Structure formats: structure tokens, C-alpha cells
Amino acid sequence: MSELAIEREIDRSKMQVSDEVAIQISGMNKWYGTFHVLRDIDLTVNRGERIVIAGPSGSGKSTLIRCLNALEEHQQGQIIVDGTELTSDLKNIDKIRSEVGMCFQHFNLFPHLTILENCTLAPIWVRKTPKKEAIERAMHFLEKVKIPDQANKYPGQLSGGQQQRVAIARSLCMKPRIMLFDEPTSALDPEMIKEVLDTMIELAEEGMTMLCVTHEMGFARQVANRVIFMDAGQIVEQNEPEEFFNNPKSERTKLFLSQILGH
Amino acid sequence: MSTELAFVRTEQIPPSPPPSSAIGPKKWIKDNLFSSIPNTILTIVTIWLIYTVLMVVVPWMANGVWNTSSLTECREVLQGKTGACFSVLSERWNQILYGFKYPVDSYWRPNTALILLAFAAAPVMFFDLPRKMLIFTAIYPFLAYWLIWGGTILGPLVALLGFVAGGFAFMRLSFKSFAAGFFGAIIAAFAVWIIGGGLIPETASENSLLAAVPSRDLGGFMLNLMLGVTCVSLSLPLGIALALGRQSNMPLIKGISVVFIEFVRGVPLITLLFVASVMLAYFFPPDSTVDLFLRVVIMITMFSAAYIAEVIRGGLAALPKGQYEAADSLGLDYPQAMRLIILPQALKISIPGIVNVAVGLFKDTTLVSVISMFDLVGMIRGPILASTEWNGVYWELLGFAAFLFFVVCYGISQYSQWLERRLATDHR
């Protein structure tokens, strides 16, 4: 929960929000047993938006983005991702999952496969990409996250920051139209947080639609075009980062901000 | 004050060799054998014990007699000296290995099958070998069946064709859905077996290239090896299916798997074998003759599959949930996620447990001797020890049986350790 300063200049030329809707959530509710985790979530994400979801732990922010690729099932309401509605239909779910990339807090790389195999597996098996092309694409994205020389190592041989960057490259190899980040830097040392954030900023600079659950308020301030604050399963406040940080409206938001930025 | 505390090193200390008391065999002996008084006593007692055992075993083996034709002749040759009567091994060598009914002029058939087994197993065991060798692995079971049992080649051919048809149907239909492919494959395979089985003439076996040998005539260590290899290779896929079934979200499949595993694990193998030899006939139509070997294979396979399923379930449970989520989030469907992500890791974790079951299973094949099949132990206890020439030669025979089993089991164990090292990718 720090505010890591982002030193570099951000190129905003391609960071444009279009009118096209990427994700539409309306009246969504979710329960774990009898516990009401997500309550009446309404959210529209346009293509090109970079949304940071913040909030205290247990507020349902991870659950929310995990609902977007059906890692969690919602019980009420509607989620439309890229024009496809998420229902219990497995075909729809697999289609949406192959369009939506996801990065996890603990990277979840496949330890029995090399970095290159991690990146080519889904394109080859899900997209039926020819192997040669899949390898070329994987190397392209590994170069982008600046670790092409580690391609033949195993995940266990890499540092945490490198692993997270591989995880990002692995998602990108599927050419997703939307990227979800579930606390991608929470398990990392400060030095490694920076390298992962740099990768995420580059992605934002290319106009990727991103939803990030993160405590990196520096990233939220500089990169996001909208910050959503959640508490107790509800969206409490959402605003442009400038307004959100300098002029929070809700008492709950003020308390949260004073706690994480106060020291 | 500060000048006394401050210290700056101006030159490096060069490395020097250790003193002679810190290296070499003398140091090793002192450290490991005679480091304290209790240690010294233990060392001396152990050396004395080893010496005593060797003093009995070495002359017994060195004085061993190899070429007499009965135990009494052995005793005459030895004239009261300690010595083994290994003649029983050389005289009954064929019976120990092949049983007493397998036709002598056909011994080359199981021998060939055993040599070919090495080629069939190699690409499965050592996956750096070219994948094309797997084609031979797929053909091998049918080839080996034909070699050992003989008879018409049409039988194994139809069986093979059934599997080919099933595989073909699966490839064509599984693009639509996995279930369609699965059931289509089963239907196609059975169609080929039933039609093909009907087409084979009743008399096909009479003038075949290899004379037919009934299962009753199989025996000796060959029977143990056959049961072991067949049951291990069948129970591994069945165990995987049961382990996945037990984890399934579908209540019916989960229920069937749980009941099967718990029931089979809760019953002694010997009762299952008695069921196979005596009672199973009641469950088949009266005129059907399901081979005794096949019945025993089914029972042992079920038994070890239940154990393997539990071992693999442990491996599946040890995987972090994130692996399932990562596979899901990349859009892999269930069969892909299992085959590419989950099972390779879960099986790797389960290797020691699976090998434990496999070794146990292989030794348990000797239990078939109690349902009057003449495997290695059955041969020793029955025809050999009961004969007038060799009545009373226990140590040599059972020691040799133990040695044969030890060689195979130790080999399996060494292979599994190599496999674990080869697959260790996470901590290098």
C-alpha cells in the first residue's frame, strides 16, 4: 500500500477511450453460501479504459474481476463481455476466457513448462495457432516484457518480478482485448513492483482495456482514467483519479485514503 | 577510542590448504565410525554381526552344488559340509520360468515378447525417445498376446481394429463435444469387435501359425511378469480416471468413483481373487468361458487402480488452486487443462506413491498361487517341492524367487528415482 512514484513520462497519444462498450455489468449479485459478497454491481467499461479498483481487503474487488472471466460464478444480474453474455454455457465461458487475459497475485505460471512453453501452450491448444507462429509471437511478447533470454528456463528459476512479467506475456500471447489484473504486485518486493508496473504502463500506452485491482495508488493516479472504490461488496465511489484522490466524496473513501496515503 | 575500533583490511588473506587432519579417509573413519565411545561400540558390534552372517552365507553359496539331479545326490556330494543345493534351479529352470505345461518348443515366444516389451516400454518410460516409437507401443499388447497365447492372429487383429475404429471415431466426433467423441468411440469399437468376432471362423485356431496355448498352461515367473505388466499398465489409466471422477462436480460420477474406490480398497485382494476364480462364473452367461487369466487381471487391476486413484488424488490436492485458475483463465477446456497442466504436475507428485503401489502389485501377483495358478511361488510350493527329488529345498528356491522379484522391484525403484530427478523443474 504505497505510492510508488512513477518517474517516466507516460505517452498518452494512444490512450483513448472509445464509445464502444467492452464490459457491461448490470444488477449483478453474488453470494458465497449465504454471505452476500457482491451487491447490485452496475459498471460499464468502454474500450480503452484503464480502471483501477481499490478498497479494503474483503471488499469484493478481486471477486468482481474474477466474475468477469467466470472464475467465480455470479448468481444474479447480467455480465456482457465483448458482446458475449456470461451464462453457465461452457462455450461462451471458454470464448470469453480466450478473449480476456488475466494476471494473478501469485503469477500461477505452470512450473512444469519452460517460459516459452508457458506462453505458447494456450495459443497452440485453444487458438490452434501453428507452433512456429506461436513461438514467434511468444518471443515477441517476451521481448516486450524484456526477458527474451529467459525463454528456455523454468518459472522456478526466475525472480518474482520476472515471473509476473512472463505471466503478462503469457496472457498477451492470446491477443486478449481486455486485461484483468488481480493484485499483480502484492506479492513482490518494491524493486520488482516497479518493473511490473512499467510493463503494465506500456500496455496502457498501447490502448489496452485494463481492469486492475491494486494498491498502487501512484499507478492509479497516473495511468488510470477511472478509480473505483469498493467496500462491503458495493461500489462506493468512482471518479477520475484527480477528483478521487484530491476530493473524495464519501466518508468511507476519505477514511481509506487517509489510511493508505497517510504515512 | 574510535581509532581502536576502526579497522581497514589492506591486503587479502591468500587461501591455504586444509591441515591433513581435516581431510582424507583417516578423518572420515574417525568422524563416522569411531567418533565417541558408544559409536565405537556400535561399529564393532555391527562389524561382528556382518562377519557372522557372511561366515554362514559365503560358504553356503561357494560350496553350492549345481549339477545333481536330486537333493539326496546333493547331500552325497557335500558330505556333511555346509552348502547350497542349487541343482534344483538348474534342473527345474524351465519350470521356474515358464511353468510346467507351456510347450517347450514354444519358449522362444514369451522370450520374444519380453524382448519386444523393452522396445514397447522404452518410449513410455523415456520420453526423450522419438514419439514415433509409440506406434509400436500401441501394437505391442496385441502382438504379445498373439505370441504368448498363439492361435489365430485374427483375434488380436480384430481387437486392435476395434481400438483403431474407436480412436478414429473419437477424433472425428470430439470436435463437436467430448461426450459425443467418447461414446461414439465406445460404440464404434464394440461394433468392430462384435462384427469382427462373428466373422472369425470357429476353426481358425486349429491350423494357425503359432499353436494355441490355453491360459491354464501359463506359469512360472513368466506368469508373474505378465500379470504385473498388464495390471500396472491397465490400472494406471483406470486410477487416473477414478481420481478425476472422485474430484468431479457431477454427483453421479463422483458417487460411482467413491463407492468403487472405498469398496475395492476395503476388501482383501485374496477375496477378490477367489471371486475371480470361483464366483465370477456365476455372473457371466452360463455358456461363456471368460478366461481365468482375464478374470484375475480384472480383479488385480481394479484393486490396484483403487489404490493408485487415492495416490493421484493426493497429488491433485497438492496442486495450488491457482494452477486450475490459470488454465481456466487461458481458455483451456477441461480435458486440455487436465492433460496439459494438472495431470503432468499431479502425476509427478504422485510418482513415489504410484511406484509403491506398482511394486506392491507386482509382488501380490504371487497370491494367484492360492487359486491354483502355477506362478513362480505356485510352482515352487506345488510341483517342485512336492516332487520326491527336491522335497525340502526351501532356502535355495524361495531365495531365488525373492532374488528374481528383488531385481525387478529394485529396477522399478531406480527408474522412479531417475524419473523424479528428470522431472524436477521447479527448484533448479
Side-chain angles (χ1 to χ4, degrees):
Chain A
M1 298 219 189
S2 63
E3 184 157 11
L4 212 81
I6 289 166
E7 291 136 19
R8 56 185 276 236
E9 201 62 42
I10 294 172
D11 171 16
R12 295 182 186 274
S13 59
K14 283 192 215 153
M15 281 191 181
Q16 275 146 11
V17 178
S18 79
D19 295 336
E20 193 191 339
V21 175
I23 299 172
Q24 170 101 50
I25 307 173
S26 39
M28 194 257 277
N29 279 285
K30 172 170 177 60
W31 289 264
Y32 283 131
T34 56
F35 177 59
H36 200 171
V37 254
L38 291 177
R39 309 180 191 175
D40 274 327
I41 305 287
D42 287 295
L43 179 66
T44 306
V45 181
N46 286 345
R47 199 160 294 292
E49 276 204 274
R50 304 157 310 275
I51 295 180
V52 163
I53 304 173
S57 59
S59 59
K61 40 193 200 317
S62 286
T63 313
L64 173 63
I65 68 162
R66 287 159 59 86
C67 279
L68 296 179
N69 63 355
L71 285 183
E72 303 280 355
E73 194 185 3
H74 62 285
Q75 279 93 27
Q76 226 174 58
Q78 201 182 32
I79 302 178
I80 299 174
V81 181
D82 232 8
T84 314
E85 189 182 347
L86 264 182
T87 55
S88 54
D89 184 356
L90 284 175
K91 279 232 171 73
N92 277 355
I93 291 180
D94 282 338
K95 180 163 179 278
I96 288 172
R97 280 174 177 166
S98 60
E99 302 295 334
V100 177
M102 174 124 187
C103 291
F104 300 87
Q105 182 178 0
H106 296 290
F107 333 131
N108 297 353
L109 294 177
F110 305 130
H112 63 302
L113 301 174
T114 63
I115 300 305
L116 189 63
E117 286 164 342
N118 262 282
C119 293
T120 55
L121 182 113
I124 289 174
W125 289 92
V126 180
R127 288 254 196 270
K128 316 283 179 209
T129 314
K131 197 172 174 196
K132 193 164 160 261
E133 197 186 320
I135 291 176
E136 276 167 20
R137 195 192 298 165
M139 288 313 293
H140 166 79
F141 284 115
L142 285 176
E143 252 157 59
K144 223 169 113 164
V145 300
K146 305 191 182 63
I147 29 181
D149 43 334
Q150 316 277 11
N152 291 315
K153 289 193 182 166
Y154 286 93
Q157 296 166 287
L158 269 56
S159 74
Q162 289 174 323
Q163 289 194 42
Q164 190 60 288
R165 284 183 285 152
V166 171
I168 294 175
R170 177 176 74 177
S171 299
L172 293 178
C173 285
M174 286 294 279
K175 301 234 161 144
R177 303 177 55 141
I178 300 164
M179 282 290 289
L180 308 175
F181 293 87
D182 187 2
E183 307 203 16
T185 55
S186 301
L188 298 174
D189 297 345
E191 228 173 304
M192 297 173 179
I193 292 180
K194 191 177 167 299
E195 59 187 48
V196 170
L197 286 183
D198 278 343
T199 309
M200 289 168 66
I201 293 168
E202 270 172 42
L203 211 55
E205 283 174 337
E206 286 166 19
M208 176 66 81
T209 312
M210 296 163 71
L211 274 88
C212 314
V213 172
T214 181
H215 299 298
E216 293 303 325
M217 290 304 138
F219 178 81
R221 216 188 270 270
Q222 311 251 352
V223 182
N225 69 317
R226 181 150 49 130
V227 180
I228 291 176
F229 176 70
M230 287 184 74
D231 188 37
Q234 302 147 77
I235 295 181
V236 176
E237 185 166 349
Q238 53 171 314
N239 215 328
E240 288 175 358
E242 199 69 14
E243 270 301 285
F244 179 84
F245 287 109
N246 298 340
N247 194 8
K249 305 280 185 300
S250 132
E251 285 305 316
R252 188 66 193 85
T253 318
K254 282 178 197 166
L255 181 65
F256 176 76
L257 287 177
S258 74
Q259 275 169 349
I260 70 162
L261 302 176
H263 51 88
Chain B
M1 190 70 188
S2 64
T3 45
E4 278 173 38
L5 272 174
F7 169 77
V8 177
R9 182 174 296 288
T10 48
E11 53 193 80
Q12 288 275 328
I13 301 172
S16 50
S20 60
S21 63
I23 46 166
K26 233 186 213 169
K27 148 118 175 124
W28 185 89
I29 288 172
K30 190 166 167 287
D31 279 3
N32 293 292
L33 299 179
F34 304 103
S35 60
S36 66
I37 292 173
N39 256 2
T40 312
I41 294 172
L42 271 179
T43 304
I44 291 170
V45 169
T46 313
I47 290 175
W48 175 77
L49 267 176
I50 294 173
Y51 173 79
T52 328
V53 171
L54 284 183
M55 280 316 284
V56 177
V57 173
V58 170
W60 183 75
M61 292 192 66
N63 292 341
V65 180
W66 287 90
N67 45 16
T68 57
S69 61
S70 75
L71 184 59
T72 24
E73 279 182 40
C74 269
R75 293 201 173 121
E76 279 164 25
V77 172
L78 286 167
Q79 289 173 329
K81 276 187 297 176
T82 325
C85 185
F86 291 122
S87 316
V88 64
L89 302 180
S90 42
E91 208 233 8
R92 297 294 175 105
W93 181 250
N94 286 340
Q95 288 194 354
I96 288 171
L97 290 191
Y98 305 98
F100 64 115
K101 280 198 204 145
Y102 201 87
V104 179
D105 54 356
S106 296
Y107 282 164
W108 65 272
R109 283 156 50 180
N111 291 348
T112 317
L114 183 65
I115 292 165
L116 291 179
L117 174 66
F119 290 96
V124 180
M125 292 169 72
F126 306 99
F127 25 78
D128 296 324
L129 292 171
R131 297 291 79 193
K132 279 195 178 143
M133 282 178 75
L134 283 172
I135 297 172
F136 180 70
T137 310
I139 298 171
Y140 175 76
F142 308 98
L143 184 62
Y145 172 84
W146 182 59
L147 276 171
I148 291 171
W149 274 272
T152 171
I153 197 170
L154 293 174
L157 261 184
V158 166
L160 176 60
L161 279 179
F163 281 106
V164 171
F168 190 69
F170 180 78
M171 288 212 283
R172 290 298 293 270
L173 292 171
S174 62
F175 283 114
K176 284 183 201 151
S177 85
F178 181 76
F182 183 72
F183 290 111
I186 291 178
I187 292 168
F190 271 94
V192 171
W193 287 332
I194 291 168
I195 296 169
L199 287 178
I200 300 176
E202 291 281 325
T203 55
S205 286
E206 283 167 16
N207 297 315
S208 55
L209 190 61
L210 300 179
V213 179
S215 292
R216 270 281 167 210
D217 293 358
L218 303 173
F221 194 56
M222 172 182 79
L223 183 61
N224 293 113
L225 275 179
M226 282 164 61
L227 284 171
V229 171
T230 321
C231 295
V232 167
S233 41
L234 289 178
S235 61
L236 193 58
L238 185 60
I240 293 173
L242 283 171
L244 292 179
R246 195 166 186 166
Q247 281 218 324
S248 167
N249 293 325
M250 289 178 260
L252 201 63
I253 290 182
K254 186 179 172 136
I256 291 173
S257 310
V258 170
V259 169
F260 180 91
I261 292 170
E262 294 302 336
F263 174 74
V264 173
R265 268 200 322 168
V267 176
L269 177 58
I270 204 112
T271 47
L272 289 179
L273 289 176
F274 274 119
V275 168
S277 90
V278 187
M279 284 169 60
L280 217 55
Y282 295 119
F283 295 103
F284 291 115
D287 54 338
S288 77
T289 50
V290 177
D291 194 273
L292 178 65
F293 181 82
L294 180 63
R295 284 182 273 165
V296 167
V297 162
I298 290 173
M299 286 304 176
I300 299 182
T301 301
M302 276 173 28
F303 188 75
S304 53
Y307 277 89
I308 288 182
E310 285 299 278
V311 170
I312 293 175
R313 189 166 70 101
L316 288 170
L319 281 194
K321 203 165 149 246
Q323 291 293 310
Y324 293 86
E325 290 177 351
D328 282 347
S329 76
L330 286 169
L332 297 169
D333 58 20
Y334 179 80
Q336 287 172 339
M338 287 300 136
R339 194 160 70 81
L340 301 166
I341 309 298
I342 306 303
L343 282 177
Q345 297 183 60
L347 289 179
K348 188 175 91 183
I349 302 172
S350 328
I351 289 172
I354 292 174
V355 168
N356 208 8
V357 175
V359 166
L361 177 157
F362 179 56
K363 291 182 299 182
D364 281 353
T365 57
T366 51
L367 283 176
V368 299
S369 62
V370 298
I371 55 165
S372 59
M373 285 173 95
F374 290 98
D375 76 314
L376 178 55
V377 171
M379 281 308 294
I380 292 173
R381 292 200 322 157
I384 299 178
L385 276 178
S387 67
T388 45
E389 298 98 331
W390 302 112
N391 194 351
V393 210
Y394 292 101
W395 282 100
E396 292 83 348
L397 281 167
L398 293 171
F400 181 65
F403 172 74
L404 280 181
F405 276 99
F406 173 78
V407 167
V408 176
C409 293
Y410 186 71
I412 297 174
S413 153
Q414 287 300 306
Y415 166 72
S416 86
Q417 283 173 33
W418 172 84
L419 190 64
E420 275 180 73
R421 282 196 302 275
R422 169 72 176 69
L423 293 177
T425 56
D426 28 6
H427 307 297
R428 286 201 296 188

